[in-house]
Amino acid sequence: MARRYDPDRRQRIVDAAVRVVTEHGIAGLTHRAVAAAADVPLGSTTYHFAGRDELLAAALERMNDAWLADLAERLAHHSEVPTAERLARYVAHSLGPGRAETELCYELYFAGLRHPSLRPLSSRVLEGVAELLRPLVPDPVAARLLTAAFDGLLIQLLLSGDAYDERAAVALFERVLAGPLPATRTGSSPAGDTR
């Protein structure tokens, strides 16, 4: 029997890996589960991905790309809205209609703690966010600070379950965008003391 030509098989396997992780978490990701979800023979998954970590990496990369594309589209969509407000709206979306995707992204993101091979992909998504923010902020340092604030706020809200206060988020992002506070002098001598 001739082998069936299937140029999209690897792509379907990656899509299936994302579905398996979405439905069953990282613990449920196996070659067998992915093969069943992709409707391919088990040997196809092991041919394209030698180990489970390679499947995880492919799923993480797919989710990162989708997440960054969505963020880029949303940041560009309302260019007349201040950056702090656009980011706060994206956090609201990520915790509301986009929550399932956000949780999955962070589950895969934190998988790098136990799977060192995934760490470069986790770092790459943060670099991707900073790249998207660079045109909107005064300098690269501000872009990294804003990325850290954005990422940290999402993590805190996902883990705590606290209600999201969009106005407080806008204030947080505005504060980061404003730059450093002026230095204050502590322990200075009273005026006129020239000792």
Side-chain angles (χ1 to χ4, degrees), residues 106 109 126 146-158 172:
Y106 276 103
Y109 175 73
L126 292 178
L146 197 54
T147 300
F150 172 73
D151 190 44
L153 180 62
L154 266 172
I155 291 168
Q156 289 173 10
L157 291 166
L158 285 169
L172 169 72

Side-chain angles (χ1 to χ4, degrees), residues 65-146:
D65 291 347
W67 196 75
L68 287 170
D70 186 49
L71 176 60
E73 183 180 326
R74 288 173 182 279
L75 286 175
H77 188 61
H78 297 288
S79 57
E80 74 286 355
V81 175
T83 300
E85 288 181 34
R86 280 187 273 171
L87 280 175
R89 287 180 188 177
Y90 191 72
V91 171
H93 167 77
S94 298
L95 296 170
R99 187 176 186 105
E101 292 84 3
T102 304
E103 287 178 353
L104 177 59
C105 282
Y106 276 103
E107 184 177 0
L108 290 168
Y109 175 73
F110 284 116
L113 293 172
R114 295 199 180 268
H115 304 273
S117 62
L118 299 180
R119 290 177 189 166
L121 291 171
S122 296
S123 297
R124 195 180 309 156
V125 77
L126 292 178
E127 287 299 323
V129 173
E131 283 295 322
L132 290 174
L133 294 175
R134 278 192 185 110
L136 308 174
V137 298
D139 58 65
V141 172
R144 292 192 67 81
L145 282 170
L146 197 54

